[in-house]
Amino acid sequence: MSTKLNLQDFIEKVKRENPNEPQFHQAVHEVAEILIPYINEHPQYLENKVLERLVEPERVIQFKVTWEDDNGEIQINKGYRIQMNSCIGPYKGGLRFHPSVNLGILKFLAFEQVFKNSLTTLPMGGGKGGSNFDPKGKSDREIMRFCKAFMEELYKHIDENTDVPAGDIGVGGREIGYLFGHYKKLRSKFTGVLTGKGLGFGGSLIRPEATGYGLLYFVECMLKEKNESIVGKTVSISGSGNVSLYAAEKCIELGAKVLTLSDSSGYIYDPEGIDAEKLKTVFKIKLEDYARISEYIQYYPHATFVAGKRPWEVKCDIALPNACENELDLSDAQKLHANGCILVAEGANMPSTPEAVHFFLDNGILYGLGKAANAGGVATSGLEMSQNSLRLNWTREEVDQRLKRIMQDIHEQCKQYGGSIHNNINYYKGANIAGFVKVADALIAQGF
Ligand code: GLU
């Protein structure tokens, strides 16, 4: 008879063995507080030490990236790939280029990815990688030189059946293009080793839109469950990258009114709503000019730019934190609630602090956590992998239909495993348990 797990002891051990990795501790705590009671009732998971095994990455790769900037100066960055778990498929997950990147952040993201990828119903394990390289203000040539230098080492550890990276913060279509080009050169092989590729060289239609669209498909399921509709609802969105812009696009298409977007310098608030025409301008500002979101008020002076703040003080029905981890804390959650917000769904990974999450759950706010709500991005990466293996391209409609079905399926799994809390589906519990069961059963079946 195995000893039952105790949450506090378990977390203390994880902290002791992985010091100075607060985001990883937070991600593990979030999962463990849901899973430990479940595991304690299921002896096969307890005896096989499944949770203890899941918090340990299968492999951690760390390397040096040296590259030359436009002034001819040598620059040195750290590169990483965390191969977290491969028991249901090749490691799969994005690369993040941001100065905040370190081992702990990538371990948190890789750990989340294992559960998220399992929820998609597709055969993908979990991984994550990246660098503390800061793409902000870098020239196109500098980005290219950095990507090549990064791939110079990473190519030894990845291929289409082993580990398939994609984008994340700071890594979009341009970077994936450079990374793919260099991989092909080094290996003399044209394969689907990365996802998020350009359409002309193996990319999938809908992949850039997928996280944002998928988020809204999930929100529609959440609302439908409550006999509510998104039509006419006001929406606050943070961030202004791929996820946020395509989430905004889908909101507008479905008849909601988008009030805000943001970046690290602050947020814009357009009381009249950011419509399809204005959104085109934002696409230009962010994805063509690589400029700041504050530019928006140059085009639309009736809107306001609030420097250094997050949009959660704006009155809205729905909040979509799509920027980065821990961007929404307890006081933000309280403000949203006081302003009548009924639903929060996360396009980013772990954007709500643990206190904010519990506030949502305890106060009857519908809460769609990132692992479930933002899984559309990696799910469509999975569809890109399938198309690459088949050497076929599916139509826009076909990919979109599959994405929608996957999001509905994730919603069903949450419902099945989550039960209810304050008359809402407990997505927090449901997503964590559903994601876990498939991986845990595979882990046991494959021995240790
Ligand atoms: N970075 C995205 C995520 O957090 C996508 C990963 C992928 O497509 O592999 O899920």
Side-chain angles (χ1 to χ4, degrees), residues 81 92-96 109 113 116-117 124 127-128 164-169 195-196 207 211 347 349 374-375 377-382:
R81 185 72 182 166
K92 181 81 198 85
L95 298 170
R96 177 176 289 195
L109 290 163
Q113 202 80 44
K116 185 191 329 195
N117 294 4
M124 299 182 289
K128 204 88 186 189
V164 183
D168 196 76
I169 293 172
T195 60
R207 177 63 192 90
T211 314
N349 293 313
N374 74 35
V378 73
T380 309
S381 275

Side-chain angles (χ1 to χ4, degrees), residues 152-206:
E152 211 78 50
E153 178 65 32
L154 185 68
Y155 88 98
K156 299 170 191 163
H157 310 284
I158 61 172
D159 70 44
E160 71 280 17
N161 293 317
T162 308
D163 185 354
V164 183
D168 196 76
I169 293 172
V171 179
R174 173 180 59 167
E175 291 74 17
I176 293 292
Y178 294 148
L179 291 162
F180 179 77
H182 205 55
Y183 181 88
K184 190 166 58 61
K185 204 171 269 176
L186 293 164
R187 283 268 174 127
S188 294
K189 261 190 4 177
F190 192 114
T191 68
V193 64
L194 292 156
T195 60
K197 299 184 290 301
L199 286 178
F201 52 98
S204 173
L205 286 158
I206 304 280

